[in-house]
Amino acid sequence: MSCFELAFLARHEWMTANGQTPHLVVAAAVPVAEVPRAYVRDGRITLNVSWQATQGLKLGNEWIEFSARFGGVAQHVRIPVASVLGHEQRDRGGEG
């Protein structure tokens, strides 16, 4: 497992356990990034990567892949790890 994978999984687990929803901020202007372009703002997209929001979340040394629903439509997301600008957490408002 890569350092990115270990760090991401540790942070993901911590956020989930503490009632937060994990998100990734991604540079969507990268040509090879497969993201729903309608949700890109200022060249970036923030993606909810919680277990509830994604299916088949795969973390690799070079790519992050999953399927998720955007506006009710299932879409495949594939982003290069190098395009990840950061992690965010959002309060789930008392859930979980």
Side-chain angles (χ1 to χ4, degrees):
M1 203 173 268
S2 72
C3 289
F4 173 82
E5 290 172 276
L6 291 172
F8 176 79
L9 285 174
R11 189 167 170 98
H12 192 285
E13 293 277 328
W14 182 89
M15 285 188 248
T16 301
N18 287 283
Q20 303 291 315
T21 303
H23 290 73
L24 288 178
V25 180
V26 176
V30 175
V32 295
E34 297 174 25
V35 298
R37 298 287 171 192
Y39 296 89
V40 173
R41 298 290 179 261
D42 299 320
R44 298 177 179 199
I45 187 168
T46 301
L47 299 166
N48 178 343
V49 289
S50 67
W51 299 122
Q52 295 84 4
T54 62
Q55 288 189 343
L57 180 62
K58 296 178 189 171
L59 302 171
N61 291 329
E62 312 240 345
W63 294 93
I64 299 169
E65 291 186 70
F66 60 91
S67 292
R69 298 184 78 75
F70 296 88
V73 178
Q75 295 190 39
H76 183 75
V77 175
R78 185 172 189 254
I79 54 173
V81 168
S83 70
V84 175
L85 301 172
H87 300 105
E88 287 185 358
Q89 58 204 38
R90 297 188 182 164
D91 189 356
R92 286 187 283 189
E95 287 182 27

